[in-house]
Amino acid sequence: EGILGPMPKPHSLQPKPKRPEGLPAYFAHLYTVPLLTKQQEQHCFRKLNYLKYLEACCIAKQGPDPCPDCREELQAVRDGIQRTRNRIVESNLRLVVSLAKRYADSASNDLDDLIGTGNTSLLRSVDLFDFRRGLRFSTYAFQAINRSILTQLSRSQRRRKTFVNCGDDYAELIEHDAASSDLYELHAAEARESAMKLVDQLGERDREIVMSRFGINRDRNGVSFSTIAKEIGLSTTRTVQLFNRSMERMRVEAAKAG
């Protein structure tokens, strides 16, 4: 009852954060979500871990042919996991925006792209964080988000050097990328025909995301994730996730071909 009960109230009233002027609606909303105290944060993570345990128990108990009541029980547990995870994430979104704004360059790097990358890292950090170590989640998440944004910036620079616009044709891999990146194993696809085969193996939506991001048949420098997201009707975070999934698939296929 204590673990699944309501979140403890703060010992004192938290001052309302000052919202900067002229913020877009998404950023302005972040300043309406109160930060979690250390006690509230520990309560949320303890609850999240316990709900994950209940989920595993439900799956083990149901077997291959669960009854309707068991399916409803499992869904209720999963809904609780989602609500608890969202509460942790929402209270830390300002951290993502703050780090993204630090590195964003209006001339070359889209702020929304970096925020999408940071949000993906934040979601992953929630599932990996161990609150029993006594650290605040923001301390752990800061390192993970900062590292993911720097990695994204480094990858973006390499992609601009690696892929070139081929008019109405597909991109051609023109130089070897010896660094550790999501293009590292694509060095086997040095010929245009190999690159075409890798892209063609993707689904229609994933292919559109990859081609737009690399500037194939479009702007030589590629299109920002936020622009691609608007075109296909998805969030920027989801678009980044699909792009990373496609790159992983292409990397696997390139390894097989090699």
Side-chain angles (χ1 to χ4, degrees):
E1 292 181 0
I3 294 176
L4 298 179
M7 187 167 56
K9 295 182 179 180
H11 297 301
S12 58
L13 293 177
Q14 293 179 305
K16 292 184 178 181
K18 184 178 180 181
R19 188 176 67 185
E21 297 291 338
L23 279 180
Y26 168 74
F27 298 151
H29 170 70
L30 302 182
Y31 288 84
T32 66
V33 180
L35 300 178
L36 296 176
T37 66
K38 184 176 183 178
Q39 185 181 13
Q40 290 175 328
E41 188 175 277
Q42 291 179 344
H43 171 84
C44 286
F45 276 104
R46 186 178 289 109
K47 181 178 181 179
L48 180 62
N49 291 346
Y50 184 63
L51 287 171
K52 288 180 179 179
Y53 165 75
L54 292 181
E55 179 186 30
C57 290
C58 287
I59 294 174
K61 180 176 65 175
Q62 290 179 17
D65 188 21
C67 64
D69 290 342
C70 292
R71 285 196 293 267
E72 291 181 4
E73 179 184 2
L74 177 59
Q75 187 59 49
V77 171
R78 287 175 172 171
D79 290 343
I81 291 175
Q82 190 62 38
R83 286 193 300 270
T84 305
R85 181 185 285 116
N86 288 344
R87 182 67 185 87
I88 299 172
V89 169
E90 288 177 354
S91 67
N92 287 277
L93 287 175
R94 269 182 275 168
L95 176 61
V96 175
V97 175
S98 176
L99 286 172
K101 288 175 65 177
R102 176 186 298 181
Y103 296 110
D105 179 2
S106 58
S108 57
N109 302 309
D110 190 274
L111 177 61
D112 286 346
D113 291 356
L114 299 184
I115 291 177
T117 298
N119 285 346
T120 301
S121 179
L122 176 61
L123 289 168
R124 186 166 56 249
S125 297
V126 171
D127 290 324
L128 296 176
F129 181 65
D130 185 357
F131 75 96
R132 295 170 298 180
R133 295 174 179 260
L135 293 175
R136 291 299 302 269
F137 174 68
S138 58
T139 302
Y140 173 84
F142 176 90
Q143 299 294 335
I145 296 169
N146 190 66
R147 183 167 56 249
S148 68
I149 289 177
L150 289 175
T151 300
Q152 174 64 25
L153 291 175
S154 178
R155 288 174 176 175
S156 296
Q157 293 173 357
R158 281 194 291 267
R159 286 167 189 153
R160 293 190 184 98
K161 296 178 181 179
T162 304
F163 280 89
V164 295
N165 187 20
C166 296
D168 294 330
D169 204 349
Y170 287 107
E172 178 181 8
L173 187 64
I174 60 173
E175 65 180 44
H176 176 71
D177 185 0
S180 176
S181 72
D182 54 9
L183 297 178
Y184 175 70
E185 294 181 19
L186 289 180
H187 66 276
E190 295 176 348
R192 176 179 302 180
E193 292 76 11
S194 297
M196 289 171 58
K197 290 180 181 179
L198 291 174
V199 177
D200 282 339
Q201 290 177 7
L202 302 175
E204 182 179 354
R205 182 178 63 180
D206 293 344
R207 184 167 60 249
E208 176 64 21
I209 293 174
V210 172
M211 291 175 65
S212 298
R213 184 58 180 166
F214 287 142
I216 303 173
N217 300 336
R218 303 183 62 159
D219 179 15
R220 181 181 179 87
N221 293 325
V223 183
S224 68
F225 282 121
S226 60
T227 301
I228 299 172
K230 292 177 182 178
E231 292 178 352
I232 62 178
L234 295 176
S235 67
T236 303
T237 299
R238 180 57 178 161
T239 302
V240 173
Q241 291 174 340
L242 292 175
F243 174 80
N244 290 336
R245 186 184 69 179
S246 298
M247 293 305 304
E248 176 64 23
R249 179 179 176 183
M250 293 172 65
R251 187 164 60 233
V252 171
E253 293 301 325
K256 291 179 181 178

